[in-house]
């Protein structure tokens, strides 16, 4: 018999918190009937200055299957938190999760820019990516380098050698799930190798907190740039193009409500 779930949660506190956050956001999205176009990351919205979508897209999922698949893989990868003896551990996990969220999101946009501007593939101008898979694929890659003997467990049924898991999963999801974002998953793998090989290194608690501060600052600034920011509520409205979404967080009673108008129909890629 395996350990009781409560002990596994205590052994993977950071992973458990992230799974809880992603699950809570999914429930909120379903309850409020929020579409992927409201929270996802696309080239068009990024060039309009909506950089906050790098964060919202990473922690949002469009279906229960999408959520369960990503969280199941993430739960297995939470073993990183228990590997202090090989230079990993909880602090390492939290520090480089921040890096993976931000850098993989930026890399996705950079690839979209290259495909649109250099190769004239206009399809990627309005593709909207949403999901935590960039980070999941990043941790698969890091673990495959740092601890190649590990296994990736999915749903408690499927076990993959971690050394092959990143590319196996990349090919598998691209074939099985037509909407899976090849670019998003590939970005996670690239950033994962950059971290594992030491090309991105030197993260400490100080630098992680500094990065978190910049993330919050840019998040708030991009919200304000999109519209207006007030102490009692955040209001974001398009001022140049009525086809872009408007987003409002309005105080109502004891809580807050989220109001949005939809983007024009586009394409979605799940990551």
């Amino acid at each position: 018999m395996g350990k009781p779930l409560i002990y596994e949660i205590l052994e993977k506190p950071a992973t458990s918190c992230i799974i809880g956050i992603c699950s809570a956001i999914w429930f909120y999205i379903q309850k409020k009937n929020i579409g992927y176009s409201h929270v996802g990351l696309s080239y068009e919205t990024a060039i309009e200055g909506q950089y906050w979508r790098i964060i919202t897209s990473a922690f949002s999922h469009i279906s229960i299957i999408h959520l369960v698949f990503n969280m199941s893989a993430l739960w297995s990868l939470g073993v990183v938190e228990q590997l202090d003896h090989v230079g990993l551990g909880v602090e390492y996990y939290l520090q480089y999760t921040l890096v993976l969220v931000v850098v993989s999101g930026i890399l996705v946009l950079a690839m979209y820019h290259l495909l649109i501007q250099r190769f004239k593939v206009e399809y990627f101008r309005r593709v909207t990516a949403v999901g935590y898979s960039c980070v999941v694929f990043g941790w698969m890659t890091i673990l495959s380098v740092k601890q190649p003997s590990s296994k990736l467990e999915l749903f408690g049924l499927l076990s993959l050698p971690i050394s092959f898991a990143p590319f196996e999963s990349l090919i598998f999801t691209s074939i099985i799930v037509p909407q899976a974002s090849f670019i998003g998953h590939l970005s996670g793998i690239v950033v994962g190798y950059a971290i594992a090989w030491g090309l991105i290194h030197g993260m400490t608690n100080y630098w992680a907190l500094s990065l978190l501060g910049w993330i919050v600052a840019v998040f708030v600034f991009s919200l304000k740039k999109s519209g207006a920011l007030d102490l009692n509520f955040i209001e974001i409205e398009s001022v140049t193009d009525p086809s872009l979404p408007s987003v409002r967080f309005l105080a109502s009673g004891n809580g807050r409500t989220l109001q949005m108008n939809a983007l024009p129909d586009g394409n979605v890629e799940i990551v």
Side-chain angles (χ1 to χ4, degrees):
M1 292 179 64
K3 294 181 181 178
L5 180 60
I6 185 63
Y7 289 107
E8 293 199 42
I9 291 174
L10 292 174
E11 289 176 349
K12 303 176 181 178
T15 303
S16 300
C17 286
I18 292 171
I19 290 174
I21 291 169
C22 289
S23 299
I25 290 173
W26 182 81
F27 278 111
Y28 182 82
I29 285 173
Q30 298 304 308
K31 182 178 180 181
K32 297 297 182 179
N33 197 30
I34 298 171
Y36 68 86
S37 61
H38 299 134
V39 294
L41 179 65
S42 70
Y43 184 79
E44 280 193 341
T45 55
I47 61 177
E48 290 293 332
Q50 298 181 34
Y51 308 125
W52 50 270
R53 289 174 176 269
I54 291 176
I55 306 302
T56 59
S57 64
F59 292 93
S60 302
H61 295 81
I62 63 174
S63 70
I64 186 62
I65 295 176
H66 186 203
L67 175 70
V68 169
F69 186 86
N70 276 356
M71 296 304 102
S72 175
L74 185 64
W75 178 255
S76 180
L77 294 166
V79 69
V80 170
E81 296 187 61
Q82 305 167 354
L83 297 176
D84 299 84
H85 60 283
V86 294
L88 303 179
V90 178
E91 289 186 0
Y92 183 95
Y93 182 85
L94 289 172
Q95 291 163 3
Y96 285 99
T97 289
L98 282 175
V99 174
L100 282 165
V101 169
V102 175
V103 179
S104 61
I106 293 172
L107 185 57
V108 166
L109 292 175
M111 290 186 179
Y112 285 168
H113 180 79
L114 180 65
L115 288 166
I116 293 166
Q117 302 299 332
R118 179 67 178 84
F119 298 100
K120 309 301 180 184
V121 185
E122 290 297 315
Y123 166 81
F124 291 102
R125 185 174 294 277
R126 296 179 59 189
V127 165
T128 302
V130 59
Y132 201 71
S133 291
C134 284
V135 182
V136 170
F137 273 76
W139 280 119
M140 277 188 207
T141 305
I142 293 169
L143 201 58
S144 72
V145 174
K146 299 285 189 178
Q147 195 76 1
S149 60
S150 298
K151 298 282 188 179
L152 176 67
E153 305 288 341
L154 294 176
F155 311 110
L157 300 173
L158 181 62
S159 179
L160 299 174
I162 198 66
S163 55
F164 300 108
F167 293 103
E168 285 179 346
S169 299
L170 179 66
I171 295 170
F172 176 78
T173 53
S174 297
I175 294 174
I176 301 300
V177 185
Q179 287 182 301
S181 175
F182 182 87
I183 290 177
H185 296 167
L186 182 62
S187 295
I189 292 174
V190 170
V191 178
Y193 275 123
I195 293 171
W197 291 341
L199 301 177
I200 299 175
H201 66 284
M203 285 294 291
T204 62
N205 288 336
Y206 170 80
W207 287 114
L209 288 173
S210 298
L211 176 59
L212 181 60
W214 279 106
I215 291 172
V216 172
V218 172
F219 187 91
V220 174
F221 176 77
S222 64
L223 284 173
K224 184 175 181 180
K225 184 180 178 181
S226 302
L229 176 65
D230 202 356
L231 292 176
N232 296 325
F233 63 93
I234 300 175
E235 182 177 337
I236 307 167
E237 293 187 355
S238 172
V239 294
T240 57
D241 186 351
S243 67
L244 292 176
S246 64
V247 183
R248 294 177 180 171
F249 291 83
L250 300 174
S252 61
N254 295 325
R256 296 191 176 189
T257 60
L258 175 63
Q259 300 178 346
M260 305 184 185
N261 71 303
L263 280 168
D265 291 339
N267 302 298
V268 61
E269 287 189 347
I270 57 176
V271 296

